[in-house]
Amino acid sequence: MKTSVGIGLLGLGVVGGGVARTLVERADHVRQLAGCKLSLEGVLVRDPSRPRSFDVPSSLVTTRVEDILDNPAVDVVVEVMGGQTPALDYIVKAISLDKHIVTANKEVMAKQGPDLLTLARKKGVQVMFEASVAGGTPIIGPLLRDLVSNEISSIHAIINGTTNYILTQMVHQGVGFDDALRAAQELGYAESDPTNDVEGIDAAYKLAILSTLAFRARIKDSDVYREGITRLDARDFLYARELGYTIKLLAIANMRDGVVEAHVHPAFVPSDVMLAKVEGVLNAVEVEADMVGRVLFTGPGAGAEPTASAVVADAIGIARNIVGNVTPPTPLRLSENVRVSPMSDLETKYYLRLNVDDRPGVFARIAKLLGDLDISIASVIQKETDEAAQRAEIVMMTHRAREAAMTNALGLLSELDVVNDVGNLVRVEEWE
Ligand code: NAP
Ligand code: HSE
């Protein structure tokens, strides 16, 4: 029987440091759970001279990936480098060399996950990726295992810790966007390029992974419509609160009659629903399914320890299978008969903030323009009247309308002589 399972670590940054620390400092606990020792056999970095949050023996550190992949003592390759290149190549090479994989890489799993799982099945190895979505919060395992008897109809999720942290700091601490982002970077939450966080790219990768598992159909990151948080203004938060909402970067996916819609964007969320209360770096994934109803998974979505918690648990799971000589079950069977609908087909409510001339007849013209496009106004508040300049800010909430109509309306509104500026448009999500 195997008494030691060798780990090759690709990356020793925020997550890699946490993984190395856990393997070393909790070695006895890990050995008990896995039924064997998990021994760190090598660590790949770019720059060995960089200071590390956790120091591993220098004899284990290398800048040559072959030292890890060609090492027969390495059974499991833990990829925590990030990015598509060269991480994907390294994973494919490792699988072809019969190594098991644990990865926290949402980009690779969103773009190539189903192919990697197929390749791994052919080679009789496992690819585990719990840390790729929601950091330390279990969601991949529940979707692959605990909820499989259900038909899942929707996902509503906050799956980017950096943006949730930024939004929370802006709302509650009055901190500006740049300062909040800097703090998230210092805390190790942000991606190496934080554009991926603030533009919703990271959340779109994660939603593609969740949708693929939940709806058992291949949903790629390019199938996910996305907008980031950079257009949000302090006034939007103020008005949202006045109207009984908070603003979150939501990842939403629905499945109806074989058609999936998947989108990531800021959304008004009613203050009294659970997701509105998910703050800071916390993530939450709400799954609606036919047998269980609504279930909510919430917890830390980023950071060294929470993410290492998921990575090491995956490694322990693989080690148990190696020791027990267990052939892991086929993780995924994907349907070919699912279609992704375009964003223009979406129907939702909207919040619209406009800066307009403050004179008679202005509102009537705006209402007519929207009415002609079948967009019905639910409420209007006039804000910040500047009498001298004869300008005012108006905030509107609409009833459900089609996205295609709203896109059309935005173009026409910006051409209207009485509209000085279309301040912002935010979709409004409602819960029954
Ligand atoms: P990070 O701090 O930037 O660390 C990346 C590590 O990979 C560094 O040690 C870097 O080496 C190494 N590396 C990168 N490219 C390399 C290359 N071409 N050759 C050799 N080594 C290379 O990133 P991280 O925050 O730990 O994130 C790692 C992965 O986990 C990403 O996929 C990320 O999306 C995912 N993730 C992160 C979190 C989080 O909270 N940070 C949470 C969940 C998932 P050097 O140190 O020498 O530069
Ligand atoms: N940058 C990511 C986030 C890390 O902020 O959620 C976790 O995937």
Side-chain angles (χ1 to χ4, degrees):
M1 195 174 83
K2 213 164 157 61
T3 55
S4 173
V5 163
I7 305 288
L9 194 55
L10 308 185
L12 191 61
V14 174
V15 182
V19 171
R21 181 187 292 279
T22 309
L23 291 176
V24 171
E25 292 184 353
R26 297 183 182 223
D28 288 343
H29 180 66
V30 169
R31 182 202 296 263
Q32 258 186 4
L33 292 169
C36 69
K37 183 179 177 200
L38 260 62
S39 129
L40 196 54
E41 297 291 339
V43 181
L44 179 76
V45 297
R46 253 181 318 217
D47 175 4
S49 67
R50 256 186 68 185
R52 305 284 163 187
S53 63
F54 182 74
D55 286 322
V56 298
S58 59
S59 59
L60 292 182
V61 176
T62 179
T63 55
R64 288 167 23 96
V65 73
E66 305 78 39
D67 293 344
I68 312 257
L69 301 187
D70 295 338
N71 180 351
V74 170
D75 302 291
V76 182
V77 169
V78 174
E79 185 276 307
V80 282
M81 297 163 54
Q84 163 104 339
T85 309
L88 175 63
D89 286 349
Y90 294 173
I91 292 174
V92 170
K93 176 108 195 285
I95 295 173
S96 71
L97 292 166
D98 299 323
K99 315 271 187 208
H100 301 270
I101 305 292
V102 177
T103 181
N105 195 321
K106 66 291 305 245
E107 180 172 356
V108 161
M109 290 312 293
K111 291 181 171 157
Q112 305 290 336
D115 302 329
L116 292 176
L117 292 170
T118 304
L119 185 64
R121 190 168 63 243
K122 285 188 188 141
K123 294 293 289 180
V125 295
Q126 278 184 273
V127 174
M128 303 284 278
F129 49 103
E130 182 60 66
S132 65
V133 182
T137 307
I139 183 62
I140 303 293
L143 287 177
L144 279 172
R145 197 182 44 246
D146 311 297
L147 293 171
V148 282
S149 5
N150 288 260
E151 288 297 328
I152 294 176
S153 53
S154 78
I155 294 170
H156 285 81
I158 295 170
I159 38 179
N160 182 267
T162 301
T163 45
N164 205 42
Y165 178 84
I166 292 173
L167 295 179
T168 307
Q169 292 292 103
M170 289 172 78
V171 170
H172 294 305
Q173 314 293 337
V175 175
F177 179 88
D178 291 338
D179 288 341
L181 172 59
R182 205 168 306 115
Q185 287 176 298
E186 281 164 16
L187 288 162
Y189 303 155
E191 295 302 303
S192 50
D193 179 357
T195 313
N196 279 15
D197 296 298
V198 298
E199 294 298 347
I201 299 167
D202 175 82
Y205 290 148
K206 293 167 177 169
L207 187 62
I209 297 170
L210 294 182
S211 305
T212 296
L213 303 185
F215 306 136
R216 294 166 209 134
R218 185 166 192 162
I219 309 297
K220 299 185 291 295
D221 57 316
S222 53
D223 292 324
V224 179
Y225 171 88
R226 69 169 174 83
E227 276 172 30
I229 62 168
T230 49
R231 274 182 60 85
L232 291 171
D233 186 277
R235 283 168 310 169
D236 297 319
F237 294 102
L238 212 71
Y239 299 150
R241 185 186 298 183
E242 245 183 84
L243 292 159
Y245 295 86
T246 186
I247 303 177
K248 294 289 183 191
L249 182 70
L250 275 196
I252 305 169
N254 291 299
M255 158 76 119
R256 236 169 263 117
D257 304 326
V259 180
V260 170
E261 56 177 43
H263 34 106
V264 169
H265 46 71
F268 272 39
V269 175
S271 307
D272 58 350
V273 307
M274 303 279 262
L275 285 184
K277 300 173 186 13
V278 174
E279 304 217 304
V281 72
L282 287 186
N283 278 198
V285 182
E286 187 183 271
V287 177
E288 186 147 11
D290 58 352
M291 293 173 76
V292 289
R294 217 171 259 167
V295 282
L296 182 73
F297 302 85
T298 185
E305 265 206 322
T307 312
S309 150
V311 170
V312 174
D314 276 351
I316 290 173
I318 290 174
R320 275 188 189 142
N321 287 342
I322 294 174
V323 171
N325 216 3
V326 174
T327 309
T330 303
L332 266 189
R333 284 186 207 286
L334 300 181
S335 161
E336 301 283 317
N337 302 320
V338 170
R339 182 172 72 79
V340 180
S341 66
M343 190 61 177
S344 52
D345 282 0
L346 179 79
E347 263 193 29
T348 189
K349 298 179 178 179
Y350 297 88
Y351 151 95
L352 183 58
R353 174 167 58 80
L354 299 172
N355 188 285
V356 299
D357 287 354
D358 191 14
R359 56 186 161 86
V362 169
F363 181 66
R365 287 182 63 190
I366 293 169
K368 174 161 187 341
L369 186 154
L370 294 176
D372 288 349
L373 291 166
D374 223 12
I375 300 169
S376 166
I377 297 166
S379 65
V380 187
I381 335 173
Q382 178 158 334
K383 296 295 207 180
E384 289 193 12
T385 307
D386 179 343
E387 281 178 21
Q390 289 199 302
R391 296 245 169 121
E393 184 157 70
I394 57 174
V395 170
M396 288 182 186
M397 300 293 274
T398 75
H399 290 293
R400 285 174 77 84
R402 286 200 63 205
E403 179 87 9
M406 194 42 104
T407 307
N408 210 347
L410 286 185
L412 294 172
L413 281 170
S414 61
E415 284 167 16
L416 219 55
D417 57 349
V418 294
V419 174
N420 303 305
D421 180 39
V422 176
N424 210 354
L425 174 90
V426 184
R427 296 171 190 85
V428 178
E429 197 61 21
E430 299 284 4
W431 274 253
E432 280 153 24

